[in-house]
């Protein structure tokens, strides 16, 4: 996978790996796909929900890297401030127990 561009190397999940392996990254390169098990079904539904998997014909899909990364960026914007706040609260509580 090291020969993929950096944007493609940061994509997670078995469904995404399948689409990257088949280079299905544009409507012209769409491939047939049907999830084989419940884990693939979960990833497939998630990618469809965020708009990263696009259907061009019944059963033929392509992976939209831009939509995937826009969703990942939105996730970070939502959760990073929360994680920082929780970390600062834990540090503040830990400081209450400091005996110097």
């Amino acid at each position: 996978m090291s020969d993929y561009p950096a944007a493609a190397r940061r994509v997670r999940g078995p469904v995404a790996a399948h689409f990257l392996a088949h280079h299905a990254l544009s409507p012209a390169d769409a491939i047939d796909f049907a999830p084989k098990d419940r884990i693939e079904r979960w990833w497939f539904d998630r990618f469809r929900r965020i708009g990263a998997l696009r259907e061009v014909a019944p059963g033929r899909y392509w992976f939209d890297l831009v939509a995937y990364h826009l969703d990942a960026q939105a996730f970070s914007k939502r959760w990073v401030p929360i994680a920082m706040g929780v970390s600062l609260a834990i540090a503040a509580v830990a400081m209450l127990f400091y005996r110097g």
Side-chain angles (χ1 to χ4, degrees), residues 11-20 24-27 29-35 39-57 59-69 71:
V11 176
R12 299 176 188 264
V15 173
H18 179 78
F19 280 86
L20 291 174
L25 301 175
S26 71
D29 299 323
I31 60 171
D32 292 326
F33 184 78
I39 293 171
E40 278 192 1
R41 169 57 66 187
W42 184 86
W43 282 100
F44 179 78
D45 291 341
R46 179 180 182 276
F47 288 142
R48 290 289 309 269
R49 186 174 55 252
I50 66 172
L53 270 183
R54 309 277 177 133
E55 187 173 27
V56 294
R60 293 187 59 81
Y61 301 92
W62 64 281
F63 195 81
D64 187 348
L65 279 173
V66 173
Y68 175 83
H69 286 295
D71 179 71

